[in-house]
């Protein structure tokens, strides 16, 4: 039996949560929550697709992420329709080959069960 710590996945539990090289889409990226998540995932090695309705704040966020050594691109769209959501995902897949992580930091507060919501909402 090999007792080498590096061969035992239980000795490195945080490795199971690595986002290194993963493609992440973040909607609402220019808001406080989206910005914090984007900067954190970028610092952890994820390739980030930033989506929001504000082109200037997105560009500034992408610049900060790349200056810190991360990879980021922007999509000046909100997921307000199926077409917009598909365009955001297409941009991520075209650039990074997949979407591994999806962070929805945009939206509005309409209380109710998800299965009772309209698809457009």
């Amino acid at each position: 039996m090999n007792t080498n710590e590096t061969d035992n996945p239980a000795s490195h539990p945080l490795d199971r949560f690595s986002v290194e090289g993963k493609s992440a889409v973040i909607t609402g990226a220019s808001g406080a929550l989206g910005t914090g998540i984007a900067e954190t995932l970028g610092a952890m090695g994820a390739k980030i697709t930033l989506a929001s309705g504000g082109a200037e704040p997105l560009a500034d966020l992408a610049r900060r992420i790349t200056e810190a050594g991360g990879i980021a691109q922007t999509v000046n769209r909100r997921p307000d329709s199926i077409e917009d959501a598909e365009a955001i995902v297409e941009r991520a897949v075209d650039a990074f080959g997949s979407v591994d992580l999806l962070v929805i930091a945009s939206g509005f507060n309409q209380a109710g069960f998800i299965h009772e919501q309209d698809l457009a909402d």
Side-chain angles (χ1 to χ4, degrees), residues 26-28 30 34 42-43 48-49 53 58 60 67 72 82 84-85 90 94 103 117-118:
I26 303 172
T27 68
S30 63
I48 312 292
T49 299
L58 280 181
D60 183 52
E67 285 178 354
I82 296 296
D84 287 331
E90 283 178 27
D94 287 348
V103 177
Q117 301 289 323
D118 284 340

Side-chain angles (χ1 to χ4, degrees), residues 4 7 10 14-15 22-23 25 28 34 43 53 58 75 84-85 103 105-108 111 119-120:
N4 185 345
D7 293 337
L14 292 180
D15 288 346
K22 302 287 185 183
S23 170
V25 170
L58 280 181
V75 181
D84 287 331
V103 177
S106 62
F108 60 98
L119 181 59

Side-chain angles (χ1 to χ4, degrees), residues 2-121:
N2 186 350
T3 59
N4 185 345
E5 265 189 52
T6 60
D7 293 337
N8 183 353
S11 68
H12 305 287
L14 292 180
D15 288 346
R16 295 178 182 168
F17 298 97
S18 174
V19 297
E20 182 77 32
K22 302 287 185 183
S23 170
V25 170
I26 303 172
T27 68
S30 63
L33 179 62
T35 294
I37 292 169
E39 290 175 335
T40 300
L41 290 176
M44 294 174 68
K47 299 174 282 188
I48 312 292
T49 299
L50 305 165
S52 178
E56 189 173 320
L58 280 181
D60 183 52
L61 177 57
R63 180 190 49 76
R64 290 196 315 269
I65 291 170
T66 56
E67 285 178 354
I71 299 170
Q73 68 172 347
T74 64
V75 181
N76 189 22
R77 292 178 98 147
R78 294 178 41 84
D80 291 336
S81 68
I82 296 296
E83 292 79 19
D84 287 331
E86 287 175 347
I88 293 166
V89 169
E90 283 178 27
R91 172 93 170 166
V93 171
D94 287 348
F96 305 128
S98 66
V99 174
D100 302 303
L101 306 164
L102 177 61
V103 177
I104 307 298
S106 62
F108 60 98
N109 187 12
Q110 183 170 327
F113 296 107
I114 190 71
H115 67 277
E116 295 174 353
Q117 301 289 323
D118 284 340
L119 181 59
D121 294 339

